[in-house]
Amino acid sequence: MGLLYDLSTKYKTISIVGMAKNAGKTTALNYLIEEAMDEGMQLGITSTGRDGETTDLVTGTDKPRVYLYEDTIVSVPTQLYELAEAGLEIVRKSNYRTSIGELLLCRVADSGYVQIAGPVATADTKKMCAEMFDMGCELILIDGAIDRKSIASPETSDAIILATGAVLSRNLKKVVEDTSHIVNLYNLPVLEDGDARKLIIDHIKEDRIMLIKGDRAEKLDLLTGLGGSRFIDEAIDKDTEYVYIPGALTNSVIADIHPSRLKQVQFVLKDPTKIFIDAIGWRQLIKKGFSVRVLDNITVAAVTVNPFAPGGYSFDHGVLLEAMQTALPEIPVIDVRM
């Protein structure tokens, strides 16, 4: 039994997320598709954008294509349907539209290469996945074809597979450090049930910075913390327990908050994709007593490593694999190229 079989016993929808372009995301997707064929598993395949083309539409570099086997359910827009080398049977037309046409839900009748695309909105992706399950899918893989921050959101899928590799840096230590940093952020503690969580959720649609003081929420006239750290600092008093930030958490959001107040309160975010602080900066903050909770964290089901970079350099695959496994002992780490 392979990795995919093990994951399918725990999750029904899995997003494949790249740490960066050319991190091996599509290679990981193809690896999992092959495993599903070996296991006789009914797969559904969709995407948060477009994937499967021979050349990256942004960078112009060559990229691996997506090969689908018979009986796979896949979402394909009308403008890409005729480009498929696989035989596709249209099962139904969906109500979702993209910039390249209405999305079709198809069954692969003859194996071959397919360019896939899917809804961009999270709500539409969830609805499409429900339709795919109704069509007999046992597991759905969501290709993260836009950016890793949006597709990693816990609203999108049950878990993610994080693709990383040499493209991040020529320094192997930095590749491992940056990847483990993201995994650790995604596993941040969830704000426990209680008055604070209820107050935040009750007012969350107002999209305001909130200070939780006992049984009340004090909303600041700020839509984002960017450039507003001085105002947050002034609003924190001895009764403040939590500060909810609805948008991005960057160094500038907390730069002017006094160290004693930074240590006094717990910051709360919707999910870890809102954090834009690098590994070094994060360690420095933690040493100062900085504390963060999230309303929902992200399950990283596995990490795939790609030792090759399009820049022409590479790592020894065994060395990269071992280093990543040592850094992430609780998570399966595989080199899908090998």
Side-chain angles (χ1 to χ4, degrees):
M1 299 296 182
L3 172 67
L4 192 68
Y5 178 85
D6 181 57
L7 297 181
S8 69
T9 64
K10 304 172 185 175
Y11 315 109
K12 290 300 181 184
T13 56
I14 299 175
S15 297
I16 303 173
V17 179
M19 285 278 292
K21 278 187 172 295
N22 300 303
K25 175 182 60 62
T26 305
T27 302
L29 175 63
N30 283 326
Y31 172 88
L32 296 171
I33 291 169
E34 287 187 18
E35 271 207 0
M37 181 199 67
D38 292 341
E39 300 287 352
M41 189 182 301
Q42 176 82 58
L43 266 191
I45 305 289
T46 187
S47 176
T48 57
R50 175 180 178 178
D51 202 4
E53 64 274 24
T54 57
T55 303
D56 191 293
L57 300 178
V58 176
T59 65
T61 55
D62 292 339
K63 57 179 296 185
R65 297 195 288 170
V66 177
Y67 191 92
L68 300 182
Y69 297 93
E70 289 182 17
D71 290 330
T72 303
I73 302 298
V74 60
S75 62
V76 181
T78 51
Q79 290 185 31
L80 298 182
Y81 177 79
E82 296 296 337
L83 299 179
E85 295 180 23
L88 297 179
E89 170 197 351
I90 300 174
V91 180
R92 69 177 68 156
K93 292 183 178 180
S94 78
N95 295 320
Y96 316 112
R97 296 196 60 83
T98 71
S99 60
I100 46 178
E102 181 182 34
L103 284 173
L104 308 172
L105 285 174
C106 303
R107 187 183 303 275
V108 179
D110 293 300
S111 303
Y113 292 104
V114 181
Q115 291 193 43
I116 60 176
V120 174
T122 299
D124 289 343
T125 298
K126 293 181 73 171
K127 290 176 184 176
M128 174 165 282
C129 287
E131 292 184 49
M132 287 181 161
F133 284 126
D134 289 342
M135 295 166 67
C137 293
E138 301 171 67
L139 177 71
I140 295 174
L141 299 178
I142 304 171
D143 175 68
I146 304 180
D147 75 280
R148 68 175 173 85
K149 290 294 184 182
S150 62
I151 186 61
S153 168
E155 296 179 355
T156 305
S157 56
D158 299 331
I160 71 166
I161 292 174
L162 188 65
T164 186
V167 70
L168 268 65
S169 173
R170 291 178 178 269
N171 184 314
L172 187 146
K173 182 179 178 181
K174 179 169 174 54
V175 172
V176 174
E177 181 180 74
D178 287 354
T179 303
S180 59
H181 172 57
I182 291 298
V183 172
N184 290 334
L185 288 186
Y186 285 1
N187 196 38
L188 279 171
V190 173
L191 181 64
E192 62 276 5
D193 290 335
D195 291 341
R197 184 180 179 92
K198 185 178 185 304
L199 281 168
I200 292 171
I201 290 176
D202 285 349
H203 297 278
I204 200 167
K205 290 184 178 178
E206 298 176 38
D207 216 29
R208 297 279 177 177
I209 290 175
M210 280 184 274
L211 280 69
I212 306 301
K213 303 180 179 183
D215 60 355
R216 65 188 178 91
E218 179 182 304
K219 283 161 278 187
L220 302 186
D221 192 22
L222 293 171
L223 291 175
T224 173
L226 298 175
S229 62
R230 178 171 59 85
F231 301 101
I232 297 173
D233 178 72
E234 292 172 354
I236 295 173
D237 61 23
K238 63 181 179 61
D239 297 320
T240 308
E241 300 173 77
Y242 301 93
V243 176
Y244 172 71
I245 307 291
L249 178 66
T250 67
N251 285 311
S252 69
V253 173
I254 52 181
D256 296 321
I257 298 177
H258 191 275
S260 64
R261 286 186 278 276
L262 199 67
K263 186 184 298 186
Q264 169 194 331
V265 303
Q266 287 193 351
F267 287 80
V268 181
L269 306 172
K270 188 173 183 292
D271 64 65
T273 67
K274 307 297 183 186
I275 300 172
F276 295 88
I277 299 174
D278 64 22
I280 295 174
W282 190 257
R283 284 198 299 269
Q284 291 172 343
L285 285 171
I286 298 302
K287 286 181 180 178
K288 294 178 181 178
F290 179 72
S291 177
V292 175
R293 296 290 185 271
V294 291
L295 298 181
D296 294 290
N297 60 14
I298 296 165
T299 300
V300 181
V303 170
T304 66
V305 293
N306 177 10
F308 302 98
Y313 63 93
S314 64
F315 301 130
D316 179 278
H317 77 93
V319 174
L320 174 61
L321 187 63
E322 183 179 357
M324 198 68 74
Q325 288 173 332
T326 300
L328 302 171
E330 304 299 321
I331 298 173
V333 179
I334 57 173
D335 181 347
V336 295
R337 293 288 294 267
M338 303 304 296

